[in-house]
Amino acid sequence: MAALMRSVTSTVKAARRHSPSSVEELELELLLEALYQCHGYDFRGYDHALVARKVQALRLRLGLATISALQSRVLHDDETYNTLLRALYVSPALMFDDPLEVSMLRLSLGVSLHGAALPRVWLADCASPQQAWTLAILLEQEQLAPRTEIYATVASDTMLADAQHASLPMARLDELQANYVRSGGVGKLVDYFDVDADGLHAALKPELASRITWAQYNLVTDASFNEFQMILGQRTLPDFGLALRKRVLQLFDDSLAPFGMLALDRPLDDHDPLSRHYKPIMAGQPWYKRVA
């Protein structure tokens, strides 16, 4: 009997003992919970595998042994907290880095914006200042810039400050000229920028920058804040888990004007009730016009 009890006890203890992967899962859950409880940013509904990869990459980059060590740093050091937030955020975009996206924008801008008196475009979880600059330049080329407002939202006040004061080294602007040409751009990209006196940095021309309204906004928790003629969400949606994705798609639906344009990362599910509100503007592309 004693031998049996020892065997049962040993089995129970073994069942309670976490494997290394289970420990890391628990650490990740605690890190995300701490980020939510202490700072209000909720990544718990994001794609779990993607979040885990980003957290582990940051842990290694910072030279930390465990996710728990990263959590301690996040809770007690603002710089580490902001570094984690940037790491978990949507991957940064470069100007004109996706020729297909630029082509779809050129096609969609006139269709969705020309009929509105004061059209608004929402860059939800804007991937970088350069994503907003790309849109501003395209609007200028379509002669829509003077009356169109771009709303570019980001997750934190730190990201907001970075975006509002962003500029480019001239060497990088020269490199981005190749992106511009590949996406169908004509002329020189530098024509849309002011170069500082020492010739080392460039900033978007004030008349274009003034059409971009930057704001801190949380897609996970905040409600609809305006009505838009176009919503661009294709960069951020891949990071979301199924439940959060459904929530954000409903938010976009609540925010899109009749006959407005919605850009997604993949086609709407035919079984999704929202799909009846939309019609694709081109076969095979997840860009939609609202029809109901």
Side-chain angles (χ1 to χ4, degrees), residues 182-239:
R182 278 195 298 270
S183 66
V186 177
K188 293 185 177 180
L189 191 56
V190 71
D191 292 341
Y192 298 95
F193 288 82
D194 284 339
V195 180
D196 63 11
D198 59 13
L200 297 178
H201 289 83
L204 192 68
K205 285 186 175 295
E207 59 268 29
L208 298 181
S210 67
R211 307 311 302 167
I212 305 172
T213 298
W214 290 96
Q216 188 277 327
Y217 180 87
N218 193 328
L219 275 179
V220 179
T221 58
D222 292 343
S224 175
F225 66 98
N226 213 325
E227 183 178 74
F228 300 92
Q229 282 65 45
M230 177 180 282
I231 297 176
L232 303 176
Q234 71 272 35
R235 299 265 182 169
T236 189
L237 280 168
D239 290 357

Side-chain angles (χ1 to χ4, degrees), residues 79-98:
E79 183 177 350
T80 304
Y81 152 65
N82 284 311
T83 300
L84 174 62
L85 201 59
R86 289 190 182 95
L88 293 178
Y89 196 59
V90 60
S91 298
L94 298 177
M95 277 193 297
F96 298 94
D97 62 353
D98 187 334

Side-chain angles (χ1 to χ4, degrees), residues 122 217 222-228 231 246-258 262 274 277-278 290 292:
W122 181 15
Y217 180 87
D222 292 343
S224 175
F225 66 98
N226 213 325
E227 183 178 74
F228 300 92
I231 297 176
K246 183 176 181 180
R247 191 263 180 198
V248 173
L249 286 175
Q250 183 62 62
L251 172 65
F252 289 166
D253 188 66
D254 293 340
S255 306
L256 192 64
L262 177 63
L274 291 180
H277 297 172
Y278 298 94
R290 183 165 191 161

Side-chain angles (χ1 to χ4, degrees), residues 41 89 121-126 132 149-164 212-219 222 225-226 228:
Y41 297 106
Y89 196 59
V121 180
W122 181 15
L123 283 171
D125 270 5
C126 185
E149 190 73 17
I150 300 169
Y151 288 78
T153 58
V154 293
S156 74
D157 290 334
T158 300
M159 292 179 186
L160 180 61
D162 291 345
Q164 289 172 326
I212 305 172
T213 298
W214 290 96
Q216 188 277 327
Y217 180 87
N218 193 328
L219 275 179
D222 292 343
F225 66 98
N226 213 325
F228 300 92

Side-chain angles (χ1 to χ4, degrees), residues 27-41:
E27 287 181 308
L28 181 60
E29 290 178 9
L30 292 173
L31 172 63
L32 298 183
E33 186 67 29
L35 193 59
Y36 174 64
Q37 293 291 340
C38 296
H39 297 285
Y41 297 106

Side-chain angles (χ1 to χ4, degrees), residues 165-185:
H165 299 96
S167 63
L168 276 176
M170 281 300 296
R172 173 53 62 89
L173 188 59
D174 291 339
E175 294 171 10
L176 293 171
Q177 173 70 21
N179 284 356
Y180 177 63
V181 172
R182 278 195 298 270
S183 66

